[in-house]
Amino acid sequence: MDLAFTKEEIAFRDEMRHFFRNEFPEAIRRKASEGRHLSREEMVTAQRFLNARGLAVPHWPQAWGGRDWSSIQTYFYQDEMQQANVPSPLPFNVSMVGPVIATFGNERQKHEFLPQIANLDIWFCQGFSEPGSGSDLASLRTSAKRDGDHYLVNGQKTWTTLAQYADWIFCLVRTDPAAKPQEGISFLLIDMKSPGITVRPIQTIDGGHEVNEVFFDDVKVPLENLVGQENKGWDYAKFLLGNERTGIARVGTSKERIRRIKELAALERSGDQRVIDNPRFREKLAAVEVELKALELTQLRVVANERRAQHGKPDPASSILKIKGSEIQQATTELLMDVVGPYAMPYQPQFEEGWNEPPIGPDYAAPAAPTYFNWRKISIYGGSNEIQRNIIAKAILGL
Amino acid sequence: MDLAFTKEEIAFRDEMRHFFRNEFPEAIRRKASEGRHLSREEMVTAQRFLNARGLAVPHWPQAWGGRDWSSIQTYFYQDEMQQANVPSPLPFNVSMVGPVIATFGNERQKHEFLPQIANLDIWFCQGFSEPGSGSDLASLRTSAKRDGDHYLVNGQKTWTTLAQYADWIFCLVRTDPAAKPQEGISFLLIDMKSPGITVRPIQTIDGGHEVNEVFFDDVKVPLENLVGQENKGWDYAKFLLGNERTGIARVGTSKERIRRIKELAALERSGDQRVIDNPRFREKLAAVEVELKALELTQLRVVANERRAQHGKPDPASSILKIKGSEIQQATTELLMDVVGPYAMPYQPQFEEGWNEPPIGPDYAAPAAPTYFNWRKISIYGGSNEIQRNIIAKAILGL
Amino acid sequence: MDFDLSEEQSLLKDSVEKLVAQHYDFEQRKKYLQTPQGWSPDLWARYAEMGLLGLPFAEAEGGFGGGAVETMIVMEAFGRGLVLEPYFATVVLAGGLLRHAASSAQRAELLPAIASGTLRMAFAHSERQARYDLADVTTSARESAGSWRITGEKSLVLAGEHADRLIVSARVAGAARAQDGIGLFLVDAGAAGVSRRGYALQDATRAAEISFSDVPATPLGAPGKAFPVIARVVDEALAALAAEAVGVMAAMHEVTLDYLRTRKQFGRAIGQFQVLQHRAVDMLVAIEQARSMAFFATMMANEADATERRRALAAAKIQIGRSGHKVGQEAIQLHGGIGMTMEYKVGHYFKRMTMIELLFGDADHHLAELAAMGGLIAG
Amino acid sequence: MDFDLSEEQSLLKDSVEKLVAQHYDFEQRKKYLQTPQGWSPDLWARYAEMGLLGLPFAEAEGGFGGGAVETMIVMEAFGRGLVLEPYFATVVLAGGLLRHAASSAQRAELLPAIASGTLRMAFAHSERQARYDLADVTTSARESAGSWRITGEKSLVLAGEHADRLIVSARVAGAARAQDGIGLFLVDAGAAGVSRRGYALQDATRAAEISFSDVPATPLGAPGKAFPVIARVVDEALAALAAEAVGVMAAMHEVTLDYLRTRKQFGRAIGQFQVLQHRAVDMLVAIEQARSMAFFATMMANEADATERRRALAAAKIQIGRSGHKVGQEAIQLHGGIGMTMEYKVGHYFKRMTMIELLFGDADHHLAELAAMGGLIAG
């Protein structure tokens, strides 16, 4: 047991740190740090910048741009990227559909899609959730019927993040309605320009447009767009969902958020005191920092164990990353609300758009409430925290 | 709506306050205030003192010593008693078996038992819980078989509070093993001196001896000790358990505990500051005071509504009294731990017994940890808080 | 003590609830929001007809002689409906200041106009640097040749954008943050030197930044002695907000229970899952505690002893803040994704609740004040 | 970074766990408690044989050259077993002071005796008024003709009752609560002027009040400069307690899970109730967070920068305190009544956990310290 990082590990971390803080385009980092949404163009720019330097898909097979890093290297890559406010490569591309194609796709699919996925030449969105099947994903009903050389797809997906930017969508569809819920599902790639697809925006309570409904009305999808075997899509979905074990805690993001909160709390005053000097605020903040430090160590334990058991049984500690990570991320949004106080109240979406009017209150206050509202999603999506607890109770605790 | 007390209500409250604080034996009150256990003799003295003044069983029928008070009068009686550290009349006698006998007993039972119950000439304990049936009371197995002019009782009760002091026990026993769980149960009064009864103390983690196991081995119980009808005991038990709607929150007790905590926190120092002057401690305390004030009002709402609907559907607010009341009582034990700090550590049971050795640390520290440990029971007994939530979800929320 | 409504109070409650039920469903509300002012002038007129706009004013002054209980009834119903009209700003805040600080001549001029719906007012008090400190007023008022003029910047003025007249707090003497030396002044919102910038808050109600540059003003009460009145009216306002919050929370609980009963996952209504049942119970506990404190706030809003009143209202704001925070977050969580969409009402309640948490000081602020005052129970 | 145990560490872990499993079941432990000293001298001898008593001492000084990781391994196993022997007082506390403050002659005299099990020591430091302030020392040490004598009262001395020698902190200069001016002294526990009063703590481990009246004493390190050593050893001790706490929590969780799987109510194992499942998961989350912080504490216990070390150990004690508090209370609650009886082991774990929460400062104390130091993350 050696609880310090090795020299090599530290050198790698410092390399990542230097790159993300000094070489990555600063305007994008600043915008992210201020809690503002990035445009499609900025996200594409960011990913291509990384991809050009071999940093968009380091966890992929080496043949397709992977770096064969150790789990601790991958950890530093993610953590430093988050701490530097560098936007992560589009997860639907690099963590979801990319690995599925690389693992289960045929050679043609690999050659056609993987380079474009890595470079965000193709933007994918995810078509899993449906209105009737949230936590209970296996109850999905969007159907794909074979009809000559294509499938006819009908149904509806929802909570489709950034579908408005997407070129393609990867979907779970029901190809065998007679089979058991989990056995008649297939994994399809669908061009968003196909006739019969309609995207309807869902506005969320923060005022943003991040998610959408996607309707399929007799959409023709070539059979060759099936990934892997027909009716085996559930396995690929499980592979996809199980892929992301550690990044989900977003420890680096929370560290950076706390730094930002301290910075702003030193600007904001209450009476003759800076907010940062209020002992109650400091203690609230320190209590979150303690939980975050513990989570960071928990994550490192998981990372270190992954080295040994790459595809083995997950570490019990890994199961808590989602729950505690979401709680901490949400706590940071509440701390920022505390900092800006009454100036969380004005609704200032215009701060996104290069509006020229002066802000109401301090310029850093505008994103506080929208972020507090928006980040409530973190304990809901990707398997709500209640579902996580169900899973842990059964899989880890044997109850 | 008039949210102030009437003059008459205030006069009654002041009368109670004066009596409990100025007329009731002070030595007993002081001992209770210090968190020490009262002896059997002190409890008997206390109840007889109250009974002699018509204050032991005010909620009983007038024929048996009741006062026909309004619900708000009963509230003041309880609240002032609790605030003055006057021990409540033994609940097993005055709130449990007494009302059952008064309502369902025959005339002979009423005459024989009620006066003695009110005066604590007979000390009753409660034989409901069994090792296999805690929350699931209807699964009880202690049997009573008719055998001539008596029942033969066999089985075991547990968590029997103060059985070591008791003259009699009221028991739920199974008289019809063939019936549905709730339909074969009867309510028996059993003399603790009957051959075949064994009491075994259960020591709790605070070091105290408050509860017991009671074993019944072919215990003969005269048929005339059956209360009401055979196999109707479940109804009487429900009546008994539903009787206590408001006292359960123990708002007066918590008020008095907070007063005591403030008094001690003004004696205890940390560095150059009194503990009471530490802002973090004050805020923790104030936060509990707020919840307590809210609970007091919640209780008053229930009390006021009882006036209208004496036997009607309980106010939704009444359902939260147990949950919130137990949380607050437990929070006060933790605040006292905060006050005494490291001096919660020494185990000093001798403070109970007139020990002459000087205390370890401040003399008020000794009960802090035992009370913290012991009061964990408050969220367990009388239907655990989990059971309370199940009930509320079904009965109030319709889930 | 008696929590039953009187006959008049029951009538008031029924009529307000009926009005809200008829005119504040989700689609209607959306329409009101699309108007320039963001609320319904028609309903404002209805409120006037029903006597709501003069509710707390003395009958002799054109009002209906209602007290804190009547305000509580209206505000709770408005909370349930997420009512948008500037009742709180005009009737509770400005009306309260007029009741307590104005001369009888001023009251005779203004209160009937408010009650009839023809005059809308706002309280321009908070400033950028003040955060939640009511005495942190730097806007200045100067007297010259018997007339007063005001200069300074006011921020987050609720419903300030379209108010006809403003009540402005300004410093006539004393150091920054001194309670002594603050005055209240009536200002015509259209006067030269007043400039206003209106905007929506997160919950779609509206506020304004208002600057005053040497604007003529009429004192309301003795200049320099206004702090006790401001503190009193803010405490009354906290009681009103507590009632509104209870309406908001109760509505959130109801829609959540509906959702739990109807939404199916894994083949059954999700309300059958014990974990969600218990969480719905914990919401109930939080709401009943908040409701109790709304009663307490109502009871204590007119308490003569300012210290006791402050303790009580601080306590109420703490409970409302904590309960509301929990109930709102749980309502969203139990709904899942749909709770976060603008198309579904629970998110709007959540946002309103969040604004109420922040108005006139959050729970932490009032907890610090209450703790500094020694808490609620005499030691 | 590598959380895997080395071969030696695995061996150590296995042997200690085996020893505890064989000798610390509930009935055996009860017997140890019934002896006059409240623990087993036989096991103490076994610990010596196994090298546990000299574990953290240098090999050249009769020890085994173990570090914080080895101490962590032992303490976690001892936590699981609720081990009663005064390992923490003798090896961790007194041993730590000797390692960091004693002269080589003193170490040569004392460390082998500790390692062999023939010498038991205790650290007499805290005083009635000190609460959790390590610098609040009023016991005085005066030098006269080249020899030192100590006068004062020490309180809550862990395992102080039967220790052979004591390490006593005493003020040689400086104001009350000044860090400067504190010395450490070796005192023979049987010396004239030492009087001891032993007693049990809530968890049945033992402590003593000890008074010193003009007792001869030998300085350990430079008199007056001992505070940094005390602070360092207390931080090491906090790391050891964190490991013990993880053992206690893990054991509480296991017995609770066993209970949930076997206890039946309403016709099924109560572990099938979703609410109890989620609460067991929340216990797991709290334990894993605590375990992570025990690693962090172990990693940082030898940190050269005293400020960084203090931040880290404060953070660890906060997490341990909060996790332990929650896990303990939940373990009792999920057991129901039986968890509160002396006959069932979970209550004993709960009591030990409560003592660990209080030792060397509770979570609130360390949170205040950490917050005053600016938290963990540079702003």
Side-chain angles (χ1 to χ4, degrees), chain A residues 280 283-284, chain B residues 280 283-284:
Chain A
R280 151 169 275 271
E283 292 193 9
K284 272 176 86 165
Chain B
R280 154 169 272 268
E283 292 191 10
K284 271 176 88 165

Side-chain angles (χ1 to χ4, degrees), chain A residues 131-136 159 200-206 268-272 275 280 284 334 337-348 350 355 357-362 364 366 369-370 372-377 379-380 384-387 389, chain C residues 126-133 136 155-156 158 177 197 199-203 209 263-267 273 275-276 279 322 325 329-330 332-344 347-348 350-351 354-355 357-360 362 364 367-368:
Chain A
S133 61
S135 300
D136 183 8
W159 310 127
R200 196 182 77 81
I202 299 176
Q203 199 187 13
T204 43
I205 52 172
D206 56 315
E268 196 67 12
R269 303 189 74 84
S270 174
D272 48 8
V275 168
R280 151 169 275 271
K284 272 176 86 165
E334 299 185 41
M337 292 285 279
D338 288 344
V339 171
V340 304
Y343 288 98
M345 291 195 283
Y347 176 63
Q348 305 180 74
Q350 54 273 33
W355 186 261
E357 292 273 325
I360 313 295
Y364 47 77
Y372 169 56
F373 298 151
N374 183 279
W375 284 26
R376 301 313 306 164
K377 74 186 176 193
S379 50
I380 294 172
S384 72
N385 283 8
E386 291 73 34
I387 295 288
R389 288 189 174 88
Chain C
S126 61
E127 301 180 5
R128 165 66 188 100
Q129 80 292 343
R131 209 170 172 91
Y132 301 127
D133 181 354
D136 193 342
S155 185
L156 296 168
L158 300 178
R177 299 196 295 278
R197 178 178 165 207
Y199 49 86
L201 301 182
Q202 304 291 344
D203 64 344
E209 305 293 285
R263 168 74 170 170
K264 289 200 166 57
Q265 290 271 279
F266 304 105
F273 288 99
V275 157
L276 305 190
R279 305 238 314 246
R322 296 192 163 195
H325 202 68
Q329 292 189 354
E330 285 290 76
I332 298 291
Q333 183 71 23
L334 297 187
H335 274 84
I338 200 162
M340 289 191 57
T341 67
M342 291 289 272
E343 298 162 47
Y344 203 79
H348 298 269
F350 175 61
K351 291 201 283 186
T354 304
M355 294 304 97
E357 287 173 51
L358 295 172
L359 281 171
F360 297 107
D362 59 17
D364 282 357
L367 184 60

Side-chain angles (χ1 to χ4, degrees), chain C residues 39-378:
Chain C
W39 47 269
S40 161
D42 289 351
L43 283 175
W44 193 252
R46 289 289 295 273
Y47 301 156
E49 279 165 33
M50 290 170 67
L52 302 185
L53 301 184
L55 194 62
F57 308 145
E59 292 183 43
E61 291 170 344
F64 290 83
V69 171
E70 283 71 21
T71 299
M72 177 184 79
I73 290 168
V74 173
M75 290 299 291
E76 184 178 342
F78 280 6
R80 282 183 165 269
L82 289 179
V83 164
L84 296 160
E85 286 70 37
Y87 187 84
F88 178 72
T90 292
V91 179
V92 177
L93 281 178
L97 293 167
L98 293 173
R99 281 191 292 120
H100 295 305
S103 67
S104 56
Q106 288 170 327
R107 294 203 303 275
E109 179 203 347
L110 300 169
L111 295 184
I114 290 178
S116 67
T118 54
L119 174 66
R120 272 174 294 108
M121 294 184 67
F123 181 30
H125 177 59
S126 61
E127 301 180 5
R128 165 66 188 100
Q129 80 292 343
R131 209 170 172 91
Y132 301 127
D133 181 354
L134 292 180
D136 193 342
V137 172
T138 63
T139 295
S140 73
R142 294 285 166 263
E143 189 181 16
S144 165
S147 76
W148 290 83
R149 304 187 85 86
I150 283 180
T151 296
E153 310 276 334
K154 293 293 182 177
S155 185
L156 296 168
V157 180
L158 300 178
E161 187 180 9
H162 299 109
D164 306 304
R165 299 186 79 168
L166 303 169
I167 301 175
V168 186
S169 60
R171 186 161 292 286
V172 300
R177 299 196 295 278
Q179 295 188 355
D180 214 38
I182 299 170
L184 286 170
F185 297 88
L186 273 172
V187 170
D188 189 328
V194 174
S195 78
R196 297 190 273 185
R197 178 178 165 207
Y199 49 86
L201 301 182
Q202 304 291 344
D203 64 344
T205 64
R206 295 191 68 86
E209 305 293 285
I210 309 184
S211 74
F212 300 87
S213 173
D214 206 33
V215 178
T218 312
L220 205 62
K225 299 296 173 197
F227 183 80
V229 171
I230 294 172
R232 177 172 183 176
V233 171
V234 167
D235 279 343
E236 291 179 2
L238 289 174
L241 284 177
E244 184 187 355
V246 168
V248 171
M249 284 184 237
M252 280 197 280
H253 198 219
E254 280 166 26
V255 297
T256 303
L257 291 172
D258 280 348
Y259 189 76
L260 292 177
R261 289 190 199 103
T262 51
R263 168 74 170 170
K264 289 200 166 57
Q265 290 271 279
F266 304 105
R268 51 177 170 157
I270 61 174
Q272 289 177 28
F273 288 99
Q274 193 190 25
V275 157
L276 305 190
Q277 292 178 347
H278 281 211
R279 305 238 314 246
V281 170
D282 287 338
M283 289 171 77
L284 175 73
V285 173
I287 293 168
E288 292 304 328
Q289 288 286 84
R291 187 185 302 280
S292 290
M293 283 310 254
F295 281 121
F296 185 56
T298 300
M299 186 190 311
M300 296 296 286
N302 299 315
E303 167 65 40
D305 179 333
T307 305
E308 287 308 306
R309 190 194 69 221
R310 187 77 277 280
R311 280 187 218 267
L313 273 301
K317 191 66 164 48
I318 295 162
Q319 184 70 54
I320 289 294
R322 296 192 163 195
S323 287
H325 202 68
K326 179 191 173 78
V327 170
Q329 292 189 354
E330 285 290 76
I332 298 291
Q333 183 71 23
L334 297 187
H335 274 84
I338 200 162
M340 289 191 57
T341 67
M342 291 289 272
E343 298 162 47
Y344 203 79
K345 57 189 164 183
V346 71
H348 298 269
Y349 284 112
F350 175 61
K351 291 201 283 186
R352 178 62 193 158
M353 190 63 235
T354 304
M355 294 304 97
I356 293 175
E357 287 173 51
L358 295 172
L359 281 171
F360 297 107
D362 59 17
D364 282 357
H365 168 80
H366 288 279
L367 184 60
E369 276 210 7
L370 180 60
M373 295 170 90
L376 287 166
I377 295 172

Side-chain angles (χ1 to χ4, degrees), chain A residues 13-304:
Chain A
R13 182 195 68 191
D14 291 346
E15 182 197 329
M16 288 293 129
R17 183 171 296 180
H18 179 83
F19 170 75
F20 288 126
R21 296 191 187 187
N22 298 290
E23 299 184 22
F24 190 89
E26 215 212 316
I28 292 177
R29 293 174 53 220
R30 192 175 334 108
K31 197 168 169 188
S33 133
E34 290 166 0
R36 299 194 285 159
H37 295 294
L38 300 182
S39 67
R40 187 189 202 278
E41 193 191 341
E42 285 163 331
M43 293 176 73
V44 170
T45 302
Q47 183 157 337
R48 289 185 185 163
F49 187 89
L50 294 178
N51 196 41
R53 287 149 190 84
L55 292 173
V57 291
H59 55 295
W60 283 15
Q62 276 184 285
W64 300 106
R67 301 287 292 269
D68 199 24
W69 280 345
S70 71
S71 52
I72 195 107
Q73 286 175 313
T74 305
Y75 162 79
F76 279 131
Y77 159 78
Q78 287 181 335
D79 193 62
E80 292 298 333
M81 183 159 51
Q82 291 170 2
Q83 288 201 58
N85 286 301
V86 169
S88 297
L90 190 71
F92 312 108
N93 277 32
V94 306
S95 302
M96 298 185 181
V97 74
V100 167
I101 292 175
T103 309
F104 304 105
N106 57 37
E107 286 307 305
R108 189 195 55 73
Q109 289 169 336
K110 288 180 195 174
H111 281 90
E112 183 177 332
F113 284 106
L114 290 180
Q116 298 197 76
I117 287 173
N119 205 45
L120 203 41
D121 296 332
I122 290 180
W123 183 302
F124 261 98
C125 62
Q126 179 188 29
F128 279 18
S129 291
E130 298 186 4
S133 61
S135 300
D136 183 8
L137 187 57
S139 69
L140 65 89
R141 295 188 300 180
T142 295
S143 68
K145 284 187 190 145
R146 270 180 187 265
D147 182 18
D149 60 350
H150 57 262
Y151 292 102
L152 263 190
V153 176
N154 280 287
Q156 182 191 345
K157 296 291 177 181
T158 192
W159 310 127
T160 314
T161 300
L162 300 181
Q164 72 269 35
Y165 295 163
D167 306 301
W168 284 72
I169 182 168
F170 59 92
C171 278
L172 292 182
V173 293
R174 191 161 296 287
T175 37
D176 182 356
K180 286 186 198 163
Q182 301 179 354
E183 289 172 11
I185 292 172
S186 298
F187 193 106
L188 285 191
L189 310 179
I190 306 179
D191 188 332
M192 289 290 281
K193 292 184 295 296
S194 313
I197 292 186
T198 315
V199 176
R200 196 182 77 81
I202 299 176
Q203 199 187 13
T204 43
I205 52 172
D206 56 315
H209 169 206
E210 207 173 43
V211 288
N212 303 272
E213 293 178 297
V214 182
F215 297 89
F216 299 86
D217 182 15
D218 278 341
V219 175
K220 285 188 182 179
V221 179
L223 295 183
E224 66 191 36
N225 289 5
L226 173 73
V227 177
Q229 292 179 262
E230 200 173 68
N231 296 330
K232 293 287 180 201
W234 186 253
D235 294 342
Y236 313 148
K238 276 201 303 189
F239 166 85
L240 178 159
L241 295 170
N243 236 352
E244 185 69 308
R245 277 200 197 142
T246 57
I248 202 163
R250 296 195 73 77
V251 170
T253 303
S254 290
K255 279 189 218 165
E256 173 51 25
R257 294 275 305 175
I258 285 173
R259 245 182 242 119
R260 170 97 179 147
I261 286 163
K262 288 185 175 182
E263 182 189 320
L264 301 182
L267 299 176
E268 196 67 12
R269 303 189 74 84
S270 174
D272 48 8
Q273 201 177 39
R274 299 183 306 167
V275 168
I276 192 67
D277 294 328
N278 177 318
R280 151 169 275 271
F281 176 77
R282 289 170 79 118
E283 292 193 9
K284 272 176 86 165
L285 187 58
V288 175
E289 289 181 72
V290 169
E291 287 281 0
L292 178 59
K293 174 55 78 177
L295 187 68
E296 183 181 9
L297 270 290
T298 303
Q299 174 152 331
L300 283 166
R301 289 165 52 204
V302 174
V303 165

Side-chain angles (χ1 to χ4, degrees), chain B residues 7-171:
Chain B
K7 268 187 199 145
E8 294 72 24
E9 288 166 346
I10 289 173
F12 182 88
R13 182 195 67 190
D14 291 346
E15 183 196 328
M16 288 292 129
R17 183 171 295 181
H18 179 85
F19 170 76
F20 288 125
R21 297 191 187 188
N22 299 292
E23 297 184 23
F24 190 88
E26 214 211 317
I28 291 177
R29 292 175 52 219
R30 194 177 330 109
K31 199 169 168 187
S33 131
E34 290 166 359
R36 300 195 284 158
H37 295 296
L38 300 183
S39 68
R40 185 189 203 279
E41 193 190 341
E42 285 163 331
M43 292 176 73
V44 170
T45 302
Q47 184 158 336
R48 288 184 186 162
F49 188 88
L50 294 177
N51 197 38
R53 286 150 189 84
L55 293 173
V57 290
H59 54 295
W60 283 14
Q62 274 184 289
W64 300 105
R67 301 288 293 268
D68 199 25
W69 280 344
S70 70
S71 51
I72 195 108
Q73 287 176 312
T74 305
Y75 162 78
F76 279 131
Y77 159 79
Q78 288 180 335
D79 192 62
E80 292 297 333
M81 183 157 53
Q82 290 171 2
Q83 287 202 59
N85 286 302
V86 169
S88 297
L90 190 71
F92 313 108
N93 277 33
V94 306
S95 303
M96 297 185 181
V97 73
V100 168
I101 293 175
T103 309
F104 303 105
N106 58 36
E107 286 307 304
R108 189 196 53 73
Q109 288 169 335
K110 290 180 192 172
H111 280 92
E112 185 177 330
F113 284 106
L114 290 179
Q116 297 195 78
I117 287 173
N119 206 43
L120 204 41
D121 296 333
I122 290 180
W123 183 302
F124 261 97
C125 62
Q126 178 188 29
F128 278 18
S129 290
E130 298 186 6
S133 60
S135 299
D136 183 10
L137 188 57
S139 68
L140 65 88
R141 295 188 303 179
T142 294
S143 69
K145 285 187 190 145
R146 270 181 187 267
D147 182 18
D149 60 351
H150 58 263
Y151 292 102
L152 263 189
V153 176
N154 280 287
Q156 180 192 347
K157 295 292 177 179
T158 192
W159 310 125
T160 314
T161 301
L162 300 181
Q164 73 268 37
Y165 294 164
D167 306 302
W168 284 72
I169 184 169
F170 58 93
C171 279

Side-chain angles (χ1 to χ4, degrees), chain D residues 15 38 55 61 76 93 115 127 144 248 258 311 313 329 354:
Chain D
S15 60
L55 194 61
E61 291 170 343
E76 182 177 342
L93 281 177
E127 301 181 5
S144 164
V248 170
D258 280 349
R311 281 185 217 267
L313 274 300
Q329 291 188 356
T354 304

